[in-house]
Amino acid sequence: MVYIKMQPIYKIMSDRKTLTSSFNNNTTLDEVNLEVEKWAQRKVEELKTLKTLEDYRKDYVGNVSHELKTPIFSIQGYLHTLLEGGIYDENINIKYLKKALSNTERLQTIVDDLEMIAKLDSEANSIEISSFDVIKTIKRAVGDLEGFAVENEIDLILKYDLTEKLLVLGDESKIRQAIYNLLVNSIKYGKPKGRTIIQISTIDDIILIEFSDNGVGIEEKHLKHIFDRFYRVEPSRSRAIGGSGLGLSIVKHIIEAHNQNINVRSTFGEGSTFGFTLKKA
Ligand code: ADP
């Protein structure tokens, strides 16, 4: 009788339609008790995880809307001023239109980064690994950033025998994105007449790619947070230079999806070195 009454409960606990073999006519009440306790513990853990995810989702949505609001308010402000007569004032009309445009560009950056994060989240296991020449990838990223580096008076120096190939295993487009983000940061947070050195070293079948700038550096207390989504050391400075606060979290996501490591060393006022590993092909 007890056995028959317990059957449906056991089915629920095991999340299965059929009964587990551990439950039969000979199961004692002590064993049943133990199973129920284990099941309750599992449910407590599941609820904790769901609560953490829910808190994270709320924070994330809050952060996203906050990020979007700032440029939207700016654009509205400029357009209102122009509509209220500013359009005829030659001292401000072009200037305000340019500012409005640059805020739409900020919106674009934020949306692009959010898209990239969403893609990485949904494709967590779909990194497409192939063998590629990482020197070529670095050179492409450096080439794409040449203009930006010149504007900011930063030299990008690749220390490697450029006649040699270096084949690694990874998702080329994603690794290029990671390299690009690290280079962009080294330029954005560099000092004029500065430089970023890209260095490569090999340890057995692992290569380490490092990006060393002599820019503003990062204080110790911020270091453990800078890979978090939306974390910025100086929010107003980062926004002013077009940052979304997502660049490093994207890099970390990409490198970890490759089961590799990323690290940072920095001295405030002197510069930072970001490095990540990759497997040789
Ligand atoms: P952001 O869009 O703000 O640049 P990131 O995620 O790329 O966002 O970087 C997070 C924060 O880490 C930045 O706001 C900046 O304060 C700091 N940071 C990143 N790279 C560097 C660097 N090379 N030198 C100094 N600070 C950096």
Side-chain angles (χ1 to χ4, degrees):
M1 183 67 188
V2 174
Y3 172 70
I4 291 169
K5 291 225 153 155
M6 283 301 294
Q7 272 184 352
I9 298 176
Y10 247 73
K11 278 184 194 163
I12 290 171
M13 286 192 331
S14 61
D15 296 325
R16 282 191 213 148
K17 285 209 165 63
T18 51
L19 217 50
T20 58
S21 55
S22 62
F23 184 64
N24 54 45
N25 241 338
N26 300 321
T27 310
T28 65
L29 278 179
D30 278 349
E31 283 166 340
V32 171
N33 193 29
L34 196 70
E35 281 299 311
V36 172
E37 273 175 15
K38 275 198 224 155
W39 177 80
Q41 189 56 39
R42 272 203 315 273
K43 289 292 155 193
V44 169
E45 297 297 325
E46 273 173 31
L47 280 175
K48 262 198 221 157
T49 313
L50 286 175
K51 171 94 181 61
T52 312
L53 282 174
E54 175 61 9
D55 287 349
Y56 174 75
R57 191 191 63 77
K58 279 188 196 151
D59 276 359
Y60 188 67
V61 172
N63 278 325
V64 169
S65 58
H66 179 74
E67 286 308 319
L68 296 176
K69 257 187 210 159
T70 322
I72 289 173
F73 284 165
S74 299
I75 295 168
Q76 283 174 334
Y78 291 122
L79 293 182
H80 275 305
T81 313
L82 288 168
L83 280 175
E84 284 157 13
I87 191 100
Y88 304 110
D89 180 347
E90 288 191 357
N91 290 318
I92 60 162
N93 54 9
I94 300 292
K95 191 165 127 198
Y96 279 20
L97 280 174
K98 280 189 178 157
K99 285 192 188 245
L101 183 65
S102 106
N103 274 284
T104 63
E105 281 157 8
R106 265 201 56 201
L107 282 176
Q108 181 75 53
T109 310
I110 297 167
V111 172
D112 285 348
D113 282 355
L114 286 171
E115 244 173 28
M116 174 58 98
I117 292 248
K119 210 167 139 202
L120 287 168
D121 277 346
S122 66
E123 295 176 1
N125 300 316
S126 73
I127 290 280
E128 283 178 29
I129 303 284
S130 65
S131 151
F132 66 93
D133 175 15
V134 75
I135 301 298
K136 207 165 139 194
T137 305
I138 296 174
K139 283 205 254 178
R140 255 181 94 174
V142 168
D144 288 347
L145 285 166
E146 232 164 51
F148 187 50
V150 170
E151 252 172 58
N152 289 276
E153 299 180 56
I154 304 285
D155 261 345
L156 300 178
I157 304 160
L158 177 51
K159 285 217 166 152
Y160 191 79
D161 178 358
L162 296 180
T163 54
E164 261 187 61
K165 270 190 179 183
L166 184 54
L167 291 179
V168 296
L169 289 175
D171 188 320
E172 201 271 340
S173 72
K174 296 204 169 79
I175 293 298
R176 178 150 35 95
Q177 175 80 51
I179 293 170
Y180 184 91
N181 287 9
L182 292 176
L183 284 174
V184 165
N185 279 355
S186 79
I187 300 170
K188 284 196 308 194
Y189 304 104
K191 294 181 190 157
K193 305 222 182 320
R195 51 93 187 124
T196 299
I197 298 174
I198 308 154
Q199 225 156 1
I200 301 171
S201 38
T202 314
I203 317 144
D204 300 328
D205 63 341
I206 296 288
I207 68 153
L208 171 68
I209 310 178
E210 289 186 304
F211 303 81
S212 300
D213 64 59
N214 55 354
V216 297
I218 305 161
E219 277 176 280
E220 174 83 34
K221 66 176 180 206
H222 294 294
L223 277 182
K224 57 178 174 298
H225 301 294
I226 54 168
F227 293 103
D228 296 349
R229 290 177 185 183
F230 297 110
Y231 190 86
R232 296 156 154 131
V233 175
E234 284 183 81
S236 52
R237 181 192 170 106
S238 152
R239 289 199 181 96
I241 49 183
S244 67
L246 292 168
L248 285 181
S249 65
I250 291 176
V251 177
K252 184 166 189 268
H253 211 312
I254 292 174
I255 301 305
E256 288 183 349
H258 282 77
N259 291 323
Q260 295 298 318
N261 298 307
I262 173 143
N263 64 68
V264 55
R265 305 189 296 278
S266 189
T267 310
F268 186 54
E270 288 183 18
S272 316
T273 296
F274 286 83
F276 67 82
T277 57
L278 279 179
K279 241 181 141 58
K280 266 195 205 164

